[in-house]
């Protein structure tokens, strides 16, 4: 009986580990597949609601100052509700609610899980079972049955919702394991007093919702209005950054740089790669990102020969060289440039995690959340600059904004290279140089 109970605990915690690692992407992919299958405005609206909530949640959650384990449990509950909503109904109102709840879960489950995991690694010998491939195989089988039976992803949404519920006991167990950490921690009051920032955020993310819709459907709005929306969102982002000027002052540029780089690679170049590699371009970029993200730390660690300072310098050389290669309009230098940038991201990610969590001057329960928040700021900055350029370029060329996201041929290669790829790459290079120069000495 004890072995059976332990197996149940291991499966619950292993499922939580799995959901935390894939939680930010898998729901979005499933919802996108559902929209592509149906081409329904209902699922487009739900997809936009999900995306907006995912972007906004990491800003709102940190203002409540609850313990990370509480947020983790809430994320699991809302993930279950969101997934099961998509399994049970096609009503647009319920799907919007499900998208908003699932978006919150997708944004918050990983940073809070990582925070709790780091708490445990410092205070206990608790080990988490890794069941990634077992669960991936199970979901893959469910997806295959779903498609074969013509159930339109209903089974997959249901199984994923049940997995969130299965992970709940694991979340509660981790909450119990971290009690000592919170007993020794000074609590802070709830951060609901800055109402103006909450209202400002709503304006900013309403703008993001409009821009997200531009990636999926033709929106007949005048260019001056779209540029105004981009400008308003940039102002909101600047005010938010100013409001957080005292938070992580020594690491803010580095985190903004990280977010900008990830959006430059996955968002902009995920689409721009079409003009080099056709319909397989997005998959080429995603593959390069995975290679760099997973291998960057090991590669630069090996090249650094035990010196973290040398490894850091090599990663920074890779970052700058990658930008310069992207400025050369040739597919082979393009591939190498993307790879070198993502290798830097792969090296920087675990390094900054350890640096922030290990700093005695930073609240350990908020360190990883701050990291994801400022990375999100950087990603949104890249998106806003990209959309501003795209709207202006397509207005001058007399094209729809959607033409960039759904191209039919590569005839606009030089148009987008000169007016979008080069400006975005140079902007990213400038932020990267600022990051390197801003690096704390010693």
């Amino acid at each position: 009986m004890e072995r059976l109970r332990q197996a149940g605990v291991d499966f619950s915690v292993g499922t939580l580990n799995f959901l935390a690692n894939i939680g930010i992407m898998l729901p979005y992919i499933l919802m996108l597949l559902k929209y592509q299958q149906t081409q329904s405005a209902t699922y487009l609206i739900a997809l936009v609601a999900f995306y907006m909530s995912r972007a906004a949640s990491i800003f709102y959650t940190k203002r409540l100052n609850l313990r990370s384990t509480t947020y983790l449990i809430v994320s699991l509950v809302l993930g279950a509700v969101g997934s099961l909503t998509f399994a049970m109904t096609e009503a647009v109102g319920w799907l919007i609610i499900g998208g908003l709840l699932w978006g919150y879960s997708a944004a918050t489950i990983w940073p809070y899980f990582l925070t709790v995991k780091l708490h445990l690694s410092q205070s206990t010998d608790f080990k988490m079972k890794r069941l990634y491939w077992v669960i991936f195989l199970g979901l893959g089988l469910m997806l295959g049955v779903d498609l074969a039976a013509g159930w339109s992803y209903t089974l997959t949404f249901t199984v994923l919702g049940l997995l969130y519920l299965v992970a709940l006991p694991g979340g509660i167990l981790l909450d119990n394991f971290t009690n000592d950490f919170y007993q020794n921690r000074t609590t802070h009051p709830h951060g609901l007093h800055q109402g103006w920032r909450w209202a400002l955020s709503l304006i900013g993310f309403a703008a993001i919702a409009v821009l997200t819709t531009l990636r999926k459907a033709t929106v007949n709005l005048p260019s001056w209005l779209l540029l105004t929306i981009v400008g308003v969102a940039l102002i909101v982002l600047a005010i938010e950054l100013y409001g957080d000027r005292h938070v992580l002052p020594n690491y803010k540029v580095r985190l903004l740089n990280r977010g900008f780089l990830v959006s430059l690679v996955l968002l902009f170049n995920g689409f721009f790669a079409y003009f080099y590699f056709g319909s397989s371009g997005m998959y080429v970029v995603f593959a390069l990102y995975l290679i760099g993200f997973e291998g960057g730390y090991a590669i630069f660690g090996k090249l650094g020969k035990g010196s973290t300072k040398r490894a850091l310098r090599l990663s920074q050389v890779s970052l700058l060289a990658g930008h310069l290669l992207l400025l050369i309009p040739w597919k082979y230098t393009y591939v190498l440039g993307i790879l070198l940038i993502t290798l830097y991201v792969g090296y920087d990610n675990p390094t900054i995690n350890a640096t922030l969590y290990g700093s005695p001057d930073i609240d350990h329960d908020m360190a990883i959340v701050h990291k994801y928040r400022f990375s999100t700021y950087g990603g949104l900055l890249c998106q806003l600059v990209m959309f501003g350029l795209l709207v202006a370029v397509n207005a001058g060329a007399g094209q729809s904004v959607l033409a960039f996201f759904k191209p039919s041929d590569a005839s606009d290669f030089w148009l987008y290279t000169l007016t979008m790829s080069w400006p975005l790459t140079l902007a990213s290079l400038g932020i990267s140089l600022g990051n390197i120069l801003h690096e704390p000495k010693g």
Side-chain angles (χ1 to χ4, degrees), residues 59-112:
F59 298 103
Y60 294 143
T61 188
K62 60 95 183 178
R63 293 179 188 158
L64 298 177
N65 292 319
L66 303 176
R67 51 196 284 179
S68 289
T69 48
T70 302
Y71 282 122
L72 182 59
I73 292 169
V74 168
S75 294
L76 290 171
V77 172
L78 296 185
V81 173
S83 186
L84 293 173
T85 298
F86 277 80
M88 294 187 296
T89 183
E90 294 183 357
V92 64
W94 284 111
L95 290 181
I96 290 173
I97 294 171
L100 292 172
L101 297 180
W102 211 358
Y104 178 93
S105 173
T108 56
I109 188 171
W110 171 248
Y112 285 112

Side-chain angles (χ1 to χ4, degrees), residues 165-332:
L165 296 178
V166 167
L168 264 177
I172 294 170
L173 177 66
L174 298 189
D175 184 37
N176 293 333
F177 267 91
T178 55
N179 278 335
D180 289 343
F181 172 86
Y182 290 104
Q183 287 172 0
N184 298 324
R185 177 176 176 263
T186 303
T187 57
H188 302 288
H190 294 285
L192 294 172
H193 58 285
Q194 289 184 308
W196 66 272
R197 292 188 70 178
W198 286 75
L200 205 61
S201 295
L202 288 175
I203 297 171
F205 289 107
I208 294 296
V210 173
L211 299 178
T212 302
T213 307
L214 294 177
R215 291 163 48 189
K216 307 298 180 185
T218 299
V219 179
N220 294 316
L221 295 176
S223 298
W224 68 264
L225 181 57
L226 293 176
L227 289 173
T228 300
I229 290 172
V230 170
V232 168
L234 283 170
I235 291 170
V236 170
L237 186 59
I239 294 173
E240 281 283 328
L241 279 170
Y242 180 76
D244 285 328
R245 61 193 178 281
H246 300 304
V247 181
L248 304 185
N250 293 327
Y251 304 100
K252 190 174 282 125
V253 177
R254 183 174 174 183
L255 296 174
L256 289 170
N257 185 208
R258 178 187 181 277
F260 199 101
L261 290 171
V262 171
S263 276
L264 177 71
V265 172
L266 291 182
L267 178 59
F268 173 72
N269 282 290
F271 291 103
F272 182 67
Y274 173 92
F275 298 98
Y276 280 111
F277 300 104
S279 57
S280 62
M282 183 176 291
Y283 303 107
V284 171
V285 169
F286 284 178
L288 291 170
Y289 179 81
L290 287 175
I291 293 169
F293 189 80
E294 294 297 330
Y297 187 78
I299 289 171
F300 288 120
K302 188 78 172 177
L303 293 174
K305 299 179 180 178
S307 169
T308 55
K309 188 172 183 179
R310 186 184 297 116
L312 173 63
R313 292 302 177 214
L314 288 171
S315 74
Q316 291 170 340
V317 169
S318 175
L319 174 63
L320 299 180
H323 282 90
L324 296 177
L325 288 171
L326 288 186
L327 296 174
I328 302 173
W330 187 40
K331 65 180 180 181
Y332 297 109

